[in-house]
Amino acid sequence: SSCWDRFASGTEDKPPQQLMNELLLNAVAQCRVRYAQVWVELGADTLAVDSDGRTARQLMSEPLLRATDIKEHLAWVELGADVSAVDQARLDVRLLDAVYDRNGALVESWMKLG
């Protein structure tokens, strides 16, 4: 069962901070920005590390790259998505996609990010 199921049923024995961090990492992995925002608002640490040693912020770069809606895009940026490790070519492609789609807000945000 998932940590959320265990939490909901009252059988989770992990400390609350560890649980929130795991739920944040899970929300990021599932590209669910609203859930990620909620866990951060409740105190989850965006520097929490997954089993591969990547922080939640580093993992946020993937859903950030996939976001085509400016609100979702900016939400990932606001949460601290770290694009420093993302290949520049991938960033350039996302910028060009935004230009092609005539999405001025996304173009502006991508230009600020890299």
Side-chain angles (χ1 to χ4, degrees):
S1 70
S2 72
C3 55
W4 174 250
D5 293 334
R6 292 188 306 273
F7 176 77
S9 68
T11 59
E12 180 56 64
D13 58 355
K14 293 179 185 165
Q17 185 66 51
Q18 183 182 349
L19 179 61
M20 284 190 295
N21 290 348
E22 286 181 21
L23 290 165
L24 170 62
L25 290 165
N26 190 39
V28 173
Q30 294 179 10
C31 300
R32 300 182 87 164
V33 70
R34 185 63 196 127
Y35 288 158
Q37 288 172 316
V38 167
W39 291 119
V40 169
E41 288 168 16
L42 290 172
D45 186 355
T46 57
L47 296 176
V49 178
D50 73 357
S51 59
D52 294 326
R54 296 172 298 179
T55 68
R57 286 184 178 193
Q58 290 169 324
L59 295 170
M60 288 176 195
S61 65
E62 200 54 45
L64 173 70
L65 286 166
R66 293 181 185 166
T68 56
D69 174 78
I70 187 61
K71 288 181 183 177
E72 182 182 353
H73 174 90
L74 291 175
W76 288 117
V77 171
E78 206 172 276
L79 283 170
D82 179 3
V83 295
S84 63
V86 175
D87 181 80
Q88 185 63 43
R90 288 188 75 196
L91 295 175
D92 292 345
V93 166
R94 295 307 298 150
L95 172 61
L96 290 172
D97 286 345
V99 169
Y100 180 77
D101 293 340
R102 293 190 171 107
N103 190 332
L106 262 180
V107 169
E108 185 178 331
S109 184
W110 278 120
M111 290 184 74
K112 285 180 187 173
L113 287 172

